[in-house]
Amino acid sequence: MEQINETISAIVDNATQHSNKTGKTLKGTTTGLTIAYGALIFMSVIPIFFGSFRSFTRSKKSKDRRIINSSGSHPREILVETMSTKDAMMFPLIASVALFGLYIVIKILSKEYVNLLMACYFFFIGTGCLIPMIEPIIRPIFGAILPKTAYQFLFIQKEDDKKETLNDIEFDYVTLVALVLSAVFNAWYAIKKHWIANNVLGLAFALTGVELLQLNSVKTGCILLGGLFFYDIFWVFGTDVMVTVATSFEVPIKLIFPVDLIEKGISSTNYAMLGLGDIVIPGIYIALLLRFDMSSKTDSKRYFYNGLMAYVVGLIVTVAVLLLFKAAQPALLYLVPACIGSTFVTALAKGQIKELFAYSDEDIQKNSEDSSEKKDN
């Protein structure tokens, strides 16, 4: 027992030392800290909730396209990046290499040059991610004014007689207006680095990630979350790599909120933060739970809502431990058991353990295609 206590103390001391080395201590009033972390938790739920439903819609459209494609036509492809079991196993290793690579770059090169390069990259990525968010808002206004002419860019890869659609972009004049507004907003962020602009772009990135990146089964989700559970613990508690990278780049890879908003207003520079990875990774798992709920063809979305509530509880526990030990915390240490645990408890309560682990997006798609072929015959 003493050895366990000594180990825990050593881990906490190590984390505190790394936190003190890589950044200033987060100070604020109880009210300020409550508002800041409450805002971060609220903002983190937004891309997961809406991204999950957008993921389901996109997955359904992708299935419909496959059904049409089996009849011999060549419909417009729906972009969906599905993570296989092998991908899930490799992801923590790839993420570790990328994270440590960024850490080495920070140590070798000037931080200003690295941030300039990253700013240029995120300008284009941010512009693309904001367009789908802006377009639905401005369409009712500009749709009645601008011409309704639409255009299409089709990227096709040819190999012998085979053709594969890599991307298919449709746009009109309203889309171009959204492009201009998105570019102006990203330019404002690049110049001012304002925390509000950072959060708008961060939410857009997280929403896009949850929508486009999909897990094909609960087993794959458990493998991914399990691997990143240990990844997060090692890089936060074992080294200063994670904290150094997170605090060195002035790019929207995290949500931030001022802890002294009441005292200094929106000009504050003392922020609480939450990495986008702690939103997107649990988010794509929760989106999978929604698709599983929808596959049962009932009005119940119990797995989805239980998973979402467990995510919120996990974040609250993360914040409580962070404030208690005054050290950076690996959020996935608490989020992974919460999300996976809620799934198992729900499955046990409903007697669906076997059905849950037998579920696969690919099987649903194959069944849809087979039923479509039978109808055609």
Side-chain angles (χ1 to χ4, degrees):
M1 193 68 181
E2 291 182 2
Q3 290 179 343
I4 294 175
N5 290 333
E6 289 176 1
T7 303
I8 294 174
S9 299
I11 291 174
V12 172
D13 291 342
N14 189 32
T16 306
Q17 290 171 7
H18 288 315
S19 180
N20 292 336
K21 287 178 184 178
T22 55
K24 57 185 179 182
T25 304
L26 187 63
K27 295 180 180 179
T29 63
T30 302
T31 303
L33 289 169
T34 302
I35 293 174
Y37 284 109
L40 288 177
I41 292 172
F42 175 75
M43 285 191 292
S44 70
V45 172
I46 294 174
I48 294 178
F49 183 86
F50 290 103
S52 295
F53 282 94
R54 288 169 69 104
S55 173
F56 169 74
T57 302
R58 182 172 287 270
S59 180
K60 188 175 183 300
K61 287 181 179 180
S62 179
K63 295 170 191 174
D64 294 340
R65 296 297 183 186
R66 285 188 175 92
I67 293 171
I68 296 172
N69 199 32
S70 65
S71 65
S73 59
H74 298 280
R76 184 166 66 94
E77 295 291 327
I78 304 297
L79 178 62
V80 175
E81 188 67 32
T82 302
M83 184 176 292
S84 65
T85 302
K86 182 179 178 181
D87 295 332
M89 291 178 177
M90 292 296 297
F91 192 87
L93 178 60
I94 296 172
S96 295
V97 172
L99 180 68
F100 190 68
L102 288 173
Y103 179 78
I104 295 298
V105 168
I106 293 172
K107 293 297 183 180
I108 295 177
L109 301 179
S110 171
K111 188 187 298 185
E112 288 74 19
Y113 291 117
V114 175
N115 275 306
L116 179 61
L117 180 63
M118 296 292 284
C120 293
Y121 173 76
F122 275 91
F123 173 82
F124 292 103
I125 299 297
T127 300
C129 286
L130 267 188
I131 292 175
M133 316 301 158
I134 296 175
E135 189 174 348
I137 299 174
I138 66 172
R139 186 164 289 280
I141 302 172
F142 292 94
I145 303 173
L146 298 173
K148 294 182 170 36
T149 307
Y151 302 90
Q152 183 178 15
F153 281 144
L154 187 62
F155 298 92
I156 299 177
Q157 177 178 305
K158 292 183 178 181
E159 186 175 347
D160 297 329
D161 295 333
K162 295 181 181 179
K163 292 183 180 180
E164 180 183 357
T165 302
L166 299 180
N167 210 339
D168 188 353
I169 303 174
E170 290 184 357
F171 64 94
D172 57 12
Y173 286 98
V174 178
T175 311
L176 294 178
V177 173
L179 170 64
V180 173
L181 293 176
S182 178
V184 170
F185 186 88
N186 276 270
W188 174 54
Y189 170 75
I191 296 171
K192 296 295 184 179
K193 295 288 193 264
H194 199 280
W195 64 271
I196 294 179
N198 174 92
N199 289 342
V200 170
L201 291 173
L203 290 172
F205 291 146
L207 179 63
T208 303
V210 174
E211 178 185 1
L212 297 185
L213 183 58
Q214 297 186 358
L215 298 167
N216 62 3
S217 68
V218 174
K219 182 181 76 171
T220 302
C222 291
I223 291 172
L224 176 67
L225 292 182
L228 291 177
F229 173 83
F230 293 104
Y231 157 90
D232 218 21
I233 292 173
F234 174 76
W235 289 113
V236 174
F237 280 162
T239 72
D240 67 336
V241 173
M242 182 77 78
V243 178
T244 301
V245 172
T247 56
S248 295
F249 289 127
E250 296 178 359
V251 290
I253 56 174
K254 54 187 177 289
L255 298 181
I256 57 177
F257 200 90
V259 298
D260 51 358
L261 180 66
I262 298 175
E263 294 83 4
K264 296 186 178 180
I266 61 174
S267 60
S268 172
T269 57
N270 189 23
Y271 306 118
M273 66 177 67
L274 177 66
L276 294 188
D278 297 327
I279 301 173
V280 175
I281 297 301
I284 62 176
Y285 177 78
I286 294 172
L288 171 66
L289 297 181
L290 176 63
R291 297 198 299 278
F292 174 72
D293 280 326
M294 294 298 198
S295 69
S296 62
K297 297 180 180 179
T298 63
D299 294 333
S300 174
K301 300 181 182 65
R302 187 174 298 178
Y303 285 93
F304 170 68
Y305 286 117
N306 286 355
L308 196 61
M309 286 299 298
Y311 174 80
V312 173
V313 171
L315 272 186
I316 292 173
V317 172
T318 304
V319 172
V321 176
L322 183 149
L323 295 177
L324 178 64
F325 289 104
K326 295 182 174 60
Q329 295 295 314
L332 294 181
L333 171 63
Y334 312 97
L335 295 177
V336 170
C339 292
I340 294 180
S342 73
T343 305
F344 275 88
V345 170
T346 305
L348 284 172
K350 300 185 71 174
Q352 293 182 326
I353 288 287
K354 185 177 179 180
E355 183 181 346
L356 178 69
F357 278 91
Y359 172 80
S360 173
D361 282 342
E362 295 174 355
D363 292 339
I364 297 295
Q365 291 167 2
K366 289 178 182 177
N367 293 336
S368 299
E369 292 174 9
D370 292 341
S371 61
S372 177
E373 289 176 1
K374 289 178 180 178
K375 288 180 182 180
D376 293 338
N377 295 333

